[in-house]
Amino acid sequence: MEFDVWFSKQNKVLQIVLLVIPVVGWVMEVLIRLSVMLKTSHMIHVGALLVFVLFGWLHAPVILDLISLLLRKKLIFEDLKF
């Protein structure tokens, strides 16, 4: 699954739009987190996936990722190398 790579290649405006729409943002985050977790299988990525599955519908974790995307140009915990 290369969904995180696809998302990273998109235009910043499209990335922001995909994260801002409530249900679409939650689905995008879960797919991105699942893609990263399947590549690395590290506990940080498993925990991030669980947080977004359980609490992502509240839209607070998505807003934090949106801020991270605007400031660092990467999502939270997406680019960790172990």
Side-chain angles (χ1 to χ4, degrees):
M1 180 180 268
E2 297 288 327
F3 199 77
D4 58 330
V5 175
W6 174 83
F7 184 77
S8 296
K9 289 181 181 178
Q10 300 306 312
N11 185 357
K12 289 294 176 206
V13 174
L14 180 61
Q15 289 177 344
I16 291 169
V17 168
L18 288 173
L19 290 179
V20 169
I21 301 171
V23 175
V24 175
W26 180 72
V27 171
M28 293 297 295
E29 287 285 356
V30 170
L31 288 174
I32 292 167
R33 300 301 170 179
L34 181 62
S35 176
V36 171
M37 187 206 62
L38 289 175
K39 286 181 188 176
T40 63
S41 299
H42 196 273
M43 290 306 293
I44 295 286
H45 299 297
V46 173
L49 176 65
L50 288 175
V51 166
F52 279 95
V53 166
L54 297 175
F55 302 111
W57 58 273
L58 294 173
H59 212 62
V62 177
I63 296 299
L64 290 175
D65 251 352
L66 181 63
I67 292 169
S68 174
L69 181 67
L70 291 172
L71 296 177
R72 298 182 329 131
K73 298 182 172 83
K74 297 230 180 228
L75 300 177
I76 297 173
F77 302 131
E78 181 186 24
D79 59 347
L80 293 177
K81 305 284 190 240
F82 296 101

